[in-house]
Amino acid sequence: MSILILVFAIPLAGALVLALMGHRPQARNVNVILSLGTLLAAALLTAKIIAEGPLFALDRQFFIDPLNVFLVTLTAFVGFTTSVFSQPYMRVEEDHGKMTPNRMRLYFSMYQLFNFTMLLALTTNNMGILWVAMEAATLTTVLLVSIYRTPASLEAAWKYFILCGVGIAQALFGTILLYMAAERVIGNGADALLWTNLDAVKTQLNPSVMALAFVFLLVGYGTKVGLVPLHNWLPDAHAEGPTPISAVLSGLLLNVALYAVIRCKVLTDGALANRFAGDLMVGFGLLSVVAAAFFLSRQKDVKRMFSYSSIEHMGLMTFAFGMGGPIANFAGLLHMTVHSLIKSAIFFSVGHAAQKAGTQIMDNIRGLIKVSPTVGWGLMLGSLAILGMPPFGVFASEFLILTSAMRQLPWATPFLLLGLGVAFAAIFSRVQPMVFGETTVKPLAHPPTLLPVFVHLGLGLMLGFYIPPYLNNWYMQAARIIGG
Amino acid sequence: MTALITQLINLFAAMILMLAFAMLAQRRILSLIHLFALQGLAVVGATTVVAYVTDQHHLYYSAALTLALKVFFIPWLLHRLINRLNVRWDIETLINIPSTMLIGIVLVVFAFNLALPIAELSTSISRGTLGIALACVLLSFMMMITRSKAVPQVIGFLAMENALVFAATSATHGMPMIVEFGIALDVLVGVFILGVFMFQIREQFDSLDIRHLESLKED
């Protein structure tokens, strides 16, 4: 329990410390150290869960089970590597005059607060607090997306705030309906919204209330997952915000929102005892995969292209979890892990590439491999990995999703293949000249930090052919919890 | 007694719905803020009555919180904001007012049909009100869509929050206290951020017209 408190206390206190500290050169290092502390606490927590099983804390308000424990560690891990990446990156941005000292203070403080809200959303047992944490995550990232204060970034942040605000308001209505259904079974009071209590009585929850609640919850949290047609904010927010934020938005926040949907699906499945929730998710997921692939092929901005790729992958995961069953759930969870790792690695490389070229327009970024081979290889390998080339982990999870789709929903397989194929052609044909073309990029004053890129890619590669037994065990247990 | 109480709650519900329509039709920002404050007051009234009937003390706190935040503080903040920004009028709506009202009526019918089977199940004294709450959510949503200026969009957003608080009160006798506090905190922080934002938008575009914010498009 004390470890769990550390997991929140470090980023929360960190936000305060960094806000008070103001802009000093050390702030960048403090940010890294705090994120490392969070990661260590999360790792200790995970070790404890592996040893002792699910854990309740603070009067059952917090609950760690196999479904969220690996997401906590993943969030803390990517949060840490992104802070390492953002150290030199933001320094360059400051040198270019894009950041002022005050904005740097805001950036570091909000970065920690954002990590805090995600960890809170993942570990809370209370569906109401889950909502509060998701909304708080929106608020902190709105400030981060608009940090450059350019017209485009303001527009992106405004759109993000309004769309996700409306979306999340729908989720609140869903939560109210959920509470209404729970109240009839569990009775009034704070405990009626605890997920574990709801899970225990899920077969007795009123089906028609739960069906309506799930529609609102899926639309609400689905807006944050970036499911088509609710995805409009996502490419703008990813493209206009600072690159470290694009990495954590794509790699982490979308996962957290999908995690909220999954928790709701488990309850709805129990109450309805039919495939209603799963079918809705399959529909949204499939539409996202196909639509995102076509949108993606028309992009000129490299960050926009990869943010559409995130929509596509979130669609794939939503499809997998909607389909349900042990293998599809396992594949969905594996895909969640590898997508986080690989997509953030890509954004790291893209960030450096865009800084070197001074633009995010793909036609103007050429020949990375000559000026800085590591950035070039990072981008190339990352793109190959995200496109599902073996032996990277994405291949394994996509293969599993496709094979279970062939068995359970054969009609959906051609659509999935179409989406993946279009995305492959588009991304590969764009990335190839960026890496190998005639050079236009120039070296930077500060050396980039590419260690996170290759650590992420290495882990993604490892998960392609070897999943450690305890991780495998986790996935299986989590897949059982999701059921369906 | 119960009949009287039910009528009282229905009265407040009707007021909230009427005010939602009034806000949809209102074009002066100043009046819009007043209507929003009135709607908050109606929510406070409904919450207090439910708190009295069901003897749920936490609802009194919830009512007090709404009163402080939605009736006094946020309207005051918005007042200051429009004075500082010098925007009192919001002439343009994207759809004309009569059509807006007609679509609004359709939304109300739709909301009632959606909520009907669920309202039947509600054991609380205010079973008819869930449909009204849902209708208000949809009307506020529509207000956000049809307005092209930043301030009315924000008020639409806040009115949606009002409707949700009302939904929580009438359908379930209020959410657990800790959740309500969290929601209130989020709303408060959100309003502050939006205020800061409006100044930034103005600085960049010399106007609060959201249509300036349409350059990021798919090509």
Side-chain angles (χ1 to χ4, degrees), chain B residues 45-134:
Chain B
T47 314
T48 317
V49 173
V50 174
Y52 175 72
V53 177
T54 58
D55 203 29
Q56 303 243 0
H57 287 286
H58 75 96
L59 276 180
Y60 286 118
Y61 301 124
S62 161
L65 203 63
T66 312
L67 187 73
L69 208 60
K70 300 264 183 64
V71 182
F72 293 115
F73 185 67
I74 292 178
W76 173 78
L77 205 68
L78 289 169
H79 253 284
R80 275 183 52 126
L81 196 68
I82 62 163
N83 279 333
R84 293 264 297 276
L85 293 170
N86 204 16
V87 276
R88 293 178 163 268
W89 284 84
D90 168 47
I91 312 286
E92 291 144 292
T93 52
L94 300 176
I95 311 173
N96 67 28
I97 300 288
S99 324
T100 313
M101 302 305 270
L102 282 176
I103 300 172
I105 291 167
V106 174
L107 284 181
V108 174
V109 174
F110 171 73
F112 265 84
N113 273 313
L114 201 62
L116 199 63
I118 290 170
E120 294 285 316
L121 300 164
S122 175
T123 48
S124 71
I125 33 141
S126 47
R127 62 173 49 174
T129 48
L130 191 67
I132 293 186
L134 184 55

Side-chain angles (χ1 to χ4, degrees), chain A residues 132 149 155 183-184 304 308, chain B residues 121 172 204 213 215 218:
Chain A
V132 172
R149 309 275 160 87
E155 174 181 346
E183 212 185 26
R184 292 166 59 83
R304 282 183 85 85
Y308 274 108
Chain B
L121 300 164
T172 65
Q204 284 292 341
L213 300 182
S215 56
E218 299 311 326

Side-chain angles (χ1 to χ4, degrees), chain A residues 235-293:
Chain A
D236 297 341
H238 284 55
E240 301 305 330
T243 305
I245 299 309
S246 317
V248 277
L249 278 177
S250 254
L252 300 179
L253 186 61
L254 305 185
N255 280 354
V256 177
L258 186 58
Y259 161 83
V261 173
I262 295 169
R263 285 280 189 208
C264 300
K265 177 187 182 265
V266 174
L267 300 177
T268 314
D269 278 346
L272 266 66
N274 62 17
R275 297 200 42 84
F276 173 74
D279 285 344
L280 267 181
M281 285 171 75
V282 163
F284 270 108
L286 212 51
L287 182 65
S288 304
V289 172
V290 177

Side-chain angles (χ1 to χ4, degrees), chain A residues 302-325:
Chain A
V302 60
K303 278 168 80 182
R304 282 183 85 85
M305 182 177 80
F306 280 113
S307 58
Y308 274 108
S309 153
S310 291
I311 298 176
E312 186 203 354
H313 286 280
M314 293 321 285
L316 207 55
M317 288 172 223
T318 311
F319 175 83
F321 291 124
M323 204 158 52

